[in-house]
Amino acid sequence: MLFRSIASLRNMTKNICRAMSLTCSKNKVYGRAKKSELSMIVELGHFALALALAFASVLISAQQPASTKAVSDAPVSLSQYRQWVAAAQPASPPQPKKGPVVPPPPVDFRPADEAFLQVLTLQARVAAARQSQDRLAGWHAAIKPRVDNQSIAALDVDILTLAEKRAGADAARLESDLRRVVDRANTLAARPSGTALLASVDTTEASGPDAEGLSAMEKDVLVRGRDLLVKMFQSFTVGGGEITELLWYESQATEAETNYRVWSARAGFDAAVKALGTGH
């Protein structure tokens, strides 16, 4: 879009120059052109050039934040993060004029790997906490109409509201912790504080006991737990259960979801480190 706009303004400038040429040819000799005509044409040329520069500057500044955000929000692998950390290392001392060339020491990626793993772990915990909050909010919205016809006690609604707000507070606390570890990871990579960092690993690369355990946990615990929660909530809405019992099972399901996400992130991280090497 930027280049098309500049091309259009360039064509406008060419048309103005063509008009200048025509005006001069009508007067046979360039020196005989009327001063008023020449002055007007020169001013138009200056205006077109200034407009082109200003318009290009506006377009570039308007496009820059979107481009930066797209890069910041893109998932970052451990390999890419290590590249940033390596590039942020201080320059090697100058080589001696005589004698063998001394290779630079290898980069110790252990602090960077630890920071990356912390980001991964907290991302998993935040995702599980937000999932719990969304589930409680959905239940709250679903039972609201039943309060008006008194099929559900107002006290049960208050208890559910408190649980929803508590889940939101837990998620906000975890997000605050995540921002701190992201800032530390950005510091190690010489990136500006506050820059988004979405750590990512391929969880399908997990092998051995991790892969088997994650698969069993997903099928035997997570899927069954979600189905059980749906049935328990439906039973509660028709008076077949207590809100405290429902919330207890919901907390157990959230804990299982958190453990699964953290385990999955750790297994993917271990697989990535194994593929890349420790780097020290």
Side-chain angles (χ1 to χ4, degrees):
M1 178 181 178
L2 174 62
F3 295 109
R4 288 198 301 268
S5 301
I6 293 176
S8 298
L9 291 171
R10 184 172 55 190
N11 290 334
M12 182 192 302
T13 306
K14 287 182 178 179
N15 291 334
I16 293 173
C17 293
R18 191 178 295 113
M20 178 186 289
S21 177
L22 290 174
T23 301
C24 293
S25 63
K26 287 181 181 179
N27 288 275
K28 305 287 185 164
V29 182
Y30 183 83
R32 295 179 182 178
K34 295 181 180 179
K35 291 184 178 181
S36 59
E37 292 176 343
L38 290 177
S39 177
M40 178 186 68
I41 292 172
V42 171
E43 289 179 2
L44 285 174
H46 289 168
F47 173 76
L49 180 59
L51 182 62
L53 293 174
F55 191 61
S57 176
V58 170
L59 283 177
I60 292 172
S61 61
Q63 290 177 358
Q64 186 63 31
S67 175
T68 301
K69 185 177 186 299
V71 172
S72 299
D73 290 347
V76 177
S77 66
L78 179 61
S79 175
Q80 182 179 355
Y81 179 67
R82 281 188 173 189
Q83 292 175 14
W84 292 346
V85 172
Q89 299 304 305
S92 302
Q95 295 290 337
K97 295 181 179 180
K98 295 182 180 180
V101 176
V102 180
V107 179
D108 184 359
F109 288 115
R110 285 176 295 184
D113 287 358
E114 181 63 27
F116 191 86
L117 178 59
Q118 288 179 352
V119 174
L120 277 174
T121 301
L122 276 168
Q123 284 177 175
R125 294 186 180 280
V126 168
R130 285 302 180 193
Q131 179 176 292
S132 173
Q133 183 188 15
D134 291 343
R135 179 163 47 224
L136 294 172
W139 289 354
H140 193 181
I143 68 172
K144 244 182 177 182
R146 297 179 179 270
V147 178
D148 298 334
N149 57 26
Q150 298 182 349
S151 61
I152 292 181
L155 180 60
D156 288 346
V157 179
D158 292 340
I159 294 174
L160 181 56
T161 301
L162 178 61
E164 179 187 353
K165 291 185 178 299
R166 179 178 178 180
D170 288 342
R173 174 182 55 80
L174 290 170
E175 287 176 339
S176 178
D177 293 340
L178 176 59
R179 285 191 294 271
R180 280 193 285 271
V181 298
V182 165
D183 279 345
R184 178 173 178 270
N186 280 332
T187 299
L188 292 174
R191 302 177 79 214
S193 176
T195 304
L197 175 60
L198 180 59
S200 176
V201 291
D202 187 357
T203 57
T204 61
E205 292 296 324
S207 59
D210 282 335
E212 296 172 2
L214 286 168
S215 178
M217 185 175 185
E218 182 178 13
K219 296 176 181 177
D220 299 336
V221 179
L222 298 186
V223 175
R224 291 185 181 183
R226 293 163 188 162
D227 292 342
L228 178 62
L229 280 179
V230 171
K231 294 175 182 178
M232 290 186 67
F233 178 71
Q234 292 173 345
S235 176
F236 166 73
T237 57
V238 295
E242 298 290 334
I243 185 66
T244 52
E245 183 182 17
L246 175 64
L247 292 177
W248 185 84
Y249 276 101
E250 197 283 331
S251 67
Q252 296 302 300
T254 299
E255 182 178 353
E257 184 75 34
T258 302
N259 292 337
Y260 173 80
R261 289 175 180 270
V262 171
W263 186 4
S264 180
R266 180 63 198 242
F269 171 81
D270 289 344
V273 171
K274 183 177 180 180
L276 295 172
T278 56
H280 64 272

